[in-house]
Amino acid sequence: MEMPVDRVQQVGDVAEIMLGYVEKRKTHQGERPRTVPTSTYLDKDQFNAEIELIFKRAPLMLAFTAELPNPGDYKAMEAVGLPVLINRDKAGKVRAFLNVCPHRGAPVAEGKGNCPRFTCKYHAWTFGADGKLIGIAEPSTFGDVDKSELGLRELPCEERAGMIFVCLAPNGPMNLDRHFRGFLDDFDALDFAHWTYLGSRTIEGANWKIAFDGYLEGYHFKSLHPETIFPRTPSNTMHYEGFGPNIRIGFPQHSIAEQLRDVPRDQWGTRENYGYDFVRIFFPNVSIFIAPEITQVAQLFPGPTPDRNRTVLNYLRRDPIRDEADREAVETAMNFFRDVTYQEDYVIGLEIQKGLESGAHDNLVFGRNERGNQFFHEWLNWYLEDDPSRPEPVM
């Protein structure tokens, strides 16, 4: 699928900016360094507020179209401690529910699969793909109940640009256009809905914001990733764009001048991964790195305690699996990316957690060059203040 002309021009303008950064050894700059209280990463009350005011209000990207391509496909998962069931009904519509039987609270589905209805393993109550209660086991002895009031609790859910977004509050807001401000057009342009879902890996780390901070800057590439990222991407060379609370981070490659030299200027916006890369950030908890070989989508879930997070690393690519040898190569690649993410980023995050818990410093400081981190924490605070009339942060 070809990208719209205006988007090619917009990305091309960013490529030109990044080329200038490399040639002049510069990077995107905020107005000034900004501090964040150490308690942001430690305080239990703030952790609870983040769950209630952010993770249960913002639309969360919980699944991919490629995971549930067919009617009857479903996925049961945990998100921020809540059991969630996502499925595609026979008409092709995607729905989401709390995976909790209204009879006695047991889950009605586990793992992934395909089925026309869901049956609770505890007492065999059965529910349709629309969440409605179909049947009660041995109804003659159970007594009269109103089945229409005993369906699964549905969650706001919308499928867009190859991804499935869910609000974890049953009556919560779901306005993807307002939340993403055109950012999802990137994924429409990439034809993301028709990619292949390869699998996932799960890792655990420190407070979710300690882990997420690492996805928001390249200031650490040379020191922390000297053999994996730095050979491709210069350290401390980033460009930030805000789409509401979401961020597109541009990372030029060392070879950007060489890669773009013979490409017409009006086509620079079509050269992602060939001279420059993007990391796309969905507020509050998703980081996406798209590459030709394999794409990694990290979903960070807070908890179960303030000092820990669970991160699901999802892997996709444009082409389907060709054969068994290809599958083995994909599994090896997924393990490699998981190991690098954990060993190079999450291990130091756990060390940072200990450092903050020591009480050594009251605040952390994000430099002018770490504008993405500043912006993320500004939006975090905007949500926590719970005052929609307050001006929104701008990049």
Side-chain angles (χ1 to χ4, degrees):
M1 181 182 292
E2 294 185 0
M3 293 190 294
V5 174
D6 57 345
R7 183 179 178 278
V8 173
Q9 179 177 331
Q10 180 190 36
V11 174
D13 291 344
V14 172
E16 186 171 20
I17 291 169
M18 291 191 285
L19 175 61
Y21 287 162
V22 171
E23 291 179 338
K24 299 172 184 176
R25 297 192 175 183
K26 293 182 178 293
T27 188
H28 191 127
Q29 298 268 271
E31 292 180 1
R32 64 182 188 277
R34 297 176 185 268
T35 59
V36 170
T38 302
S39 60
T40 295
Y41 304 92
L42 307 175
D43 186 76
K44 187 173 183 178
D45 289 339
Q46 172 159 341
F47 176 81
N48 292 335
E50 289 164 357
I51 302 300
E52 295 301 320
L53 297 176
I54 299 176
F55 280 87
K56 290 186 179 179
R57 292 193 183 179
L60 302 182
M61 196 285 290
L62 293 187
F64 303 91
T65 297
E67 280 185 280
L68 294 88
N70 303 310
D73 286 347
Y74 72 88
K75 172 186 179 180
M77 64 179 297
E78 180 180 302
V80 201
L82 296 177
V84 176
L85 172 61
I86 303 169
N87 76 305
R88 189 179 300 279
D89 67 21
K90 62 183 179 182
K93 177 180 173 61
V94 170
R95 300 175 183 269
F97 307 92
L98 289 172
N99 186 15
V100 181
C101 181
H103 172 217
R104 298 271 292 278
V108 302
E110 297 176 339
K112 295 181 178 182
N114 183 287
C115 64
R117 61 186 63 85
F118 301 101
T119 301
C120 176
K121 65 181 180 181
Y122 197 8
H123 295 94
W125 281 32
T126 304
F127 303 84
D130 58 3
K132 293 180 180 178
L133 177 60
I134 296 175
I136 295 173
E138 302 185 47
S140 63
T141 62
F142 192 84
D144 293 333
V145 293
D146 186 349
K147 287 184 181 178
S148 67
E149 295 185 357
L150 290 172
L152 301 176
R153 180 62 63 90
E154 192 158 8
L155 299 171
C157 177
E158 187 172 341
E159 186 173 24
R160 186 86 68 86
M163 293 168 285
I164 297 165
F165 298 89
V166 178
C167 179
L168 294 180
N171 298 307
M174 176 61 80
N175 188 333
L176 296 185
D177 290 329
R178 172 165 177 73
H179 186 77
F180 286 103
R181 318 285 172 95
F183 197 19
L184 296 181
D185 292 348
D186 270 15
F187 296 88
D188 279 327
L190 292 164
D191 199 24
F192 205 55
H194 295 99
W195 286 31
T196 296
Y197 185 79
L198 301 172
S200 67
R201 300 289 186 268
T202 300
I203 58 178
E204 296 179 354
N207 176 277
W208 72 279
K209 297 182 297 298
I210 290 176
F212 209 52
D213 278 335
Y215 291 93
L216 297 173
E217 46 87 4
Y219 184 32
H220 66 280
F221 285 175
K222 186 175 182 179
S223 52
L224 194 64
H225 305 296
E227 297 179 358
T228 50
I229 298 178
F230 181 64
R232 175 187 180 98
T233 308
S235 203
N236 197 31
T237 312
M238 305 83 71
H239 185 71
Y240 294 106
E241 302 167 86
F243 299 80
N246 312 283
I247 310 172
R248 185 166 63 195
I249 312 173
F251 291 104
Q253 297 170 13
H254 290 288
S255 62
I256 184 170
E258 178 185 345
Q259 293 269 14
L260 297 180
R261 182 183 300 130
D262 297 324
V263 178
R265 172 60 182 83
D266 62 3
Q267 292 300 305
W268 283 11
T270 67
R271 301 300 294 171
E272 181 175 353
N273 300 133
Y274 301 95
Y276 59 88
D277 302 295
F278 289 116
V279 169
R280 293 171 172 86
I281 300 294
F282 289 175
F283 185 89
N285 71 323
V286 171
S287 172
I288 303 170
F289 175 62
I290 292 171
E293 306 82 14
I294 195 167
T295 285
Q296 176 173 287
V297 182
Q299 299 166 294
L300 285 76
F301 296 105
T305 52
D307 62 339
R308 290 293 181 268
N309 86 85
R310 179 177 61 90
T311 296
V312 181
L313 302 171
N314 301 275
Y315 296 97
L316 303 94
R317 72 178 189 190
R318 288 176 171 84
D319 303 321
I321 298 291
R322 294 184 295 274
D323 50 35
E324 192 57 35
D326 187 28
R327 164 54 68 185
E328 290 182 11
V330 163
E331 294 291 330
T332 299
M334 291 192 291
N335 288 338
F336 172 77
F337 282 109
R338 176 210 46 206
D339 293 346
V340 167
T341 303
Y342 182 78
Q343 293 166 5
E344 297 189 6
D345 290 289
Y346 277 52
V347 167
I348 198 169
L350 292 166
E351 294 171 345
I352 291 169
Q353 186 77 45
K354 290 180 181 178
L356 300 186
E357 290 171 355
S358 75
H361 305 289
D362 294 332
N363 297 287
L364 300 184
V365 58
F366 291 105
R368 294 181 61 202
N369 58 329
E370 298 175 299
R371 180 59 192 143
N373 301 79
Q374 296 180 358
F375 189 70
F376 167 71
H377 284 274
E378 289 164 11
W379 270 100
L380 187 84
N381 291 334
W382 186 87
Y383 270 88
L384 292 175
E385 290 192 11
D386 197 20
D387 179 7
S389 67
R390 181 171 167 254
E392 296 178 346
V394 294
M395 184 63 78

